[in-house]
Amino acid sequence: MKKSLLAIALMSVFSYANAADVDNTWYIGAGAGQSNFEGVDVTGDYLSDDSDLAWNAIVGYQLNRYFAVEAGWQDLGTLDDAHMRTDNGQNIEVDGFTLGLVGTLPLNEKWFLTGEAGAYQYHIAHQMNADQYVSATDTAAYFGAGVGYNITDSLAISAKYRRFAGIDETDWNTANMDAQTVGIQMTYRFGIKPAAVVAAVVAPIVIAPEPTPEPIYETKVEKSSIAVLFGFDSSKLSSTAQAKLDEVVRISKKNDSDAIMLIGQADNQGDAGYNQKLSEARVQHVEDYLTSHGVEVQQLDHQASGEQNAHANSTQERALERRVIITLTSESQVIAS
């Protein structure tokens, strides 16, 4: 089979981007861990710093790659003196709503860091003894930090630390304290799916042979292009991308005069300098894969354009700009028309 027909077959295959764009997506989550009450100041001398089981549930909206708005329910558990007294022990229960801003810093395709800050509208119930009970609702500030891992594009797990400052019973001023939690949180993100793209098909040039006893030959130049797509903020080759590159290697062995040009690109999200380096990493990984798998060409060049040619506005269009374009140029002798 002629090399041009192989190139056409290669570029007629559907390819899928392994990118997960989180812009404008909803997510839910839940977590559990340990709460620690500190700086406890109560009416009477029976309560000291203590810890208990804490849990939370959240719902959030991702504004962009780096920031999300998050609301939830936080139960800090119960602070009690059951281990200190045997009668008329007092205890304090704290729970309520949270609303805050969450920042995310991707470290690579899987790992990321988080930071958050917001307000905690809590309800504090203070059982002072068998006959005395007071409660109050107020608002305290909270902040937190964590490290997370993307199990899949939709499912992630994080280790979280949060601190709640100034949790006070304000109606009767019977209790004042701070609290912090350490635990594990799982989140599930909706609306994540890969973007599909159909590669362009290059029609072959058919040249009829000259019906002469001594035909005259001329050099025919054919070019074919294919795009290898990458995930969001990633230069890792997917299995789909590797299959395409394997086909390029196979085609290159048909003609020794081939030349390949690789152009690495990134989308227009984030810092331009960072995107330039990301496009350089992508095109280098493609070149390394081709050379390590025995590509046979006369010339192999590459360049990285960063976000220079990225003009997409939607998440699906941006997924198509995270790519390396492979242009294969072939020369062959054909009968002149």
Side-chain angles (χ1 to χ4, degrees):
M1 183 181 292
K2 291 186 178 180
K3 186 172 180 179
S4 60
L5 297 179
L6 288 175
I8 294 169
L10 172 64
M11 291 184 294
S12 298
V13 179
F14 285 88
S15 61
Y16 293 89
N18 61 354
D21 198 325
V22 299
D23 289 7
N24 306 313
T25 55
W26 289 91
Y27 62 91
I28 59 175
Q34 178 177 287
S35 62
N36 293 282
F37 298 95
E38 301 176 340
V40 180
D41 182 10
V42 300
T43 301
D45 299 322
Y46 302 117
L47 286 176
S48 62
D49 295 357
D50 198 6
S51 61
D52 196 16
L53 173 67
W55 64 272
N56 73 308
I58 58 168
V59 59
Y61 182 75
Q62 195 75 35
L63 301 173
N64 53 47
R65 175 186 175 191
Y66 299 105
F67 293 102
V69 176
E70 192 172 281
W73 177 264
Q74 177 69 62
D75 190 322
L76 296 178
T78 302
L79 169 64
D80 62 55
D81 67 344
H83 61 290
M84 300 178 64
R85 298 183 57 193
T86 60
D87 61 336
N88 296 330
Q90 59 176 311
N91 62 71
I92 300 174
E93 297 180 357
V94 182
D95 53 29
F97 295 98
T98 58
L99 178 63
L101 183 67
V102 180
T104 302
L105 177 63
L107 299 178
N108 52 41
E109 185 178 358
K110 291 294 186 180
W111 290 95
F112 59 90
L113 300 176
T114 63
E116 58 188 287
Y120 180 39
Q121 186 180 56
Y122 62 88
H123 175 260
I124 181 172
H126 186 185
Q127 184 74 46
M128 301 174 65
N129 54 50
D131 301 320
Q132 288 183 293
Y133 171 87
V134 295
S135 67
T137 300
D138 207 336
T139 302
Y142 79 90
F143 62 89
V147 58
Y149 180 80
N150 292 313
I151 301 173
T152 67
D153 288 341
S154 299
L155 186 65
I157 185 171
S158 303
K160 291 279 190 177
Y161 167 83
R162 294 185 177 95
R163 185 170 185 84
F164 303 84
I167 299 177
D168 307 327
E169 189 282 295
T170 55
D171 288 352
W172 299 92
N173 197 29
T174 62
N176 302 280
M177 58 189 168
D178 296 330
Q180 61 183 358
T181 62
V182 178
I184 298 297
Q185 179 175 288
M186 298 286 293
T187 57
Y188 180 82
R189 190 174 303 279
F190 299 95
I192 298 295
K193 49 188 175 181
V197 58
V198 181
V201 177
V202 178
I205 301 174
V206 179
I207 300 176
E210 184 71 22
T212 58
E214 296 181 0
I216 300 174
Y217 292 90
E218 64 181 12
T219 300
K220 177 184 176 182
V221 178
E222 291 182 292
K223 288 187 177 182
S224 56
S225 297
I226 188 171
V228 173
L229 302 178
F230 291 81
F232 180 76
D233 194 30
S234 173
S235 60
K236 180 180 179 181
L237 291 170
S238 66
S239 57
T240 302
Q242 292 177 2
K244 288 185 177 184
L245 296 179
D246 291 339
E247 187 66 10
V248 172
V249 171
R250 187 174 70 85
I251 292 174
S252 73
K253 299 180 184 297
K254 300 294 184 178
N255 193 335
D256 294 335
S257 62
D258 287 345
I260 290 179
M261 169 60 76
L262 309 175
I263 300 178
Q265 298 179 350
D267 62 25
N268 57 11
Q269 302 299 293
D271 178 75
Y274 179 87
N275 287 337
Q276 176 66 32
K277 293 182 180 179
L278 182 58
S279 68
E280 292 172 359
R282 287 170 175 169
V283 75
Q284 188 62 56
H285 284 179
V286 170
E287 180 175 356
D288 291 344
Y289 186 95
L290 291 175
T291 56
S292 65
H293 285 72
V295 68
E296 295 180 5
V297 291
Q298 194 173 46
Q299 185 175 355
L300 176 60
D301 297 317
H302 75 263
Q303 68 182 55
S305 61
E307 64 180 43
Q308 178 180 352
N309 298 318
H311 307 290
N313 294 317
S314 68
T315 56
Q316 287 190 343
E317 290 174 342
R318 286 196 294 269
L320 306 183
E321 295 178 340
R322 306 169 194 140
R323 63 187 179 180
V324 170
I325 299 176
I326 304 171
T327 300
L328 177 67
T329 303
S330 300
E331 294 182 1
S332 59
Q333 295 297 313
V334 297
I335 299 175
S337 58

